[in-house]
Amino acid sequence: MTGAIILLFISMIGLFGYMRDEMHRRSREIAIRKVNGASTAEVIEMICRSVMTVAIPAVIFGSVAAWLIGRYWLEQFSVQAPSITAMYVLSGIITLILIALASTGMTLRTANENPSKSLRSE
């Protein structure tokens, strides 16, 4: 359990770094959309959709790979543990929820700031 918590913490650090870079890269786009009349909800939906198009296949691939490798590793022991396939599905869903919350929070912060701050250099 401790290892899982540490791995989750490390992956969340990577997620926050990725989202900070994404927000920095797309801050001008968000500002232009806000000036042209887009609502905050529309901006959040746009960013979350682009993040989820990467995250969903990655989580599915990672969960399947972890399940296959874990199953192969556990076959080498004489005492077998019960199948824990549901734990892989549950961890994938929790990971996607954390990704959605992180992307929504960071997008909300960027979408609510003054658009002139992002467009000053233009």
Side-chain angles (χ1 to χ4, degrees):
M1 185 62 127
T2 304
I5 292 171
I6 290 171
L7 287 173
L8 182 63
F9 181 70
I10 290 170
S11 65
M12 292 308 293
I13 289 172
L15 173 65
F16 288 137
Y18 170 74
M19 286 305 300
R20 184 180 17 219
D21 185 46
E22 188 75 11
M23 288 301 105
H24 180 69
R25 186 177 64 83
R26 295 182 80 172
S27 64
R28 287 188 182 136
E29 176 189 356
I30 292 170
I32 290 171
R33 287 182 185 275
K34 292 289 286 183
V35 167
N36 286 330
S39 68
T40 303
E42 291 171 344
V43 171
I44 290 172
E45 180 185 348
M46 176 191 65
I47 298 294
C48 286
R49 182 177 291 134
S50 76
V51 169
M52 286 299 174
T53 57
V54 173
I56 290 172
V59 168
I60 290 171
F61 178 75
S63 295
V64 169
W67 178 74
L68 289 172
I69 292 170
R71 188 179 67 168
Y72 175 72
W73 179 61
L74 288 175
E75 285 176 356
Q76 297 176 3
F77 294 101
S78 61
V79 177
Q80 297 293 318
S83 178
I84 53 172
T85 305
M87 294 301 288
Y88 289 103
V89 172
L90 182 63
S91 66
I93 291 170
I94 290 171
T95 302
L96 287 174
I97 289 171
L98 290 174
I99 290 170
L101 289 174
S103 63
T104 301
M106 290 190 160
T107 304
L108 185 63
R109 185 173 2 131
T110 304
N112 283 334
E113 69 182 26
N114 192 355
S116 65
K117 288 175 76 176
S118 298
L119 298 173
R120 280 186 196 195
S121 64
E122 295 295 320

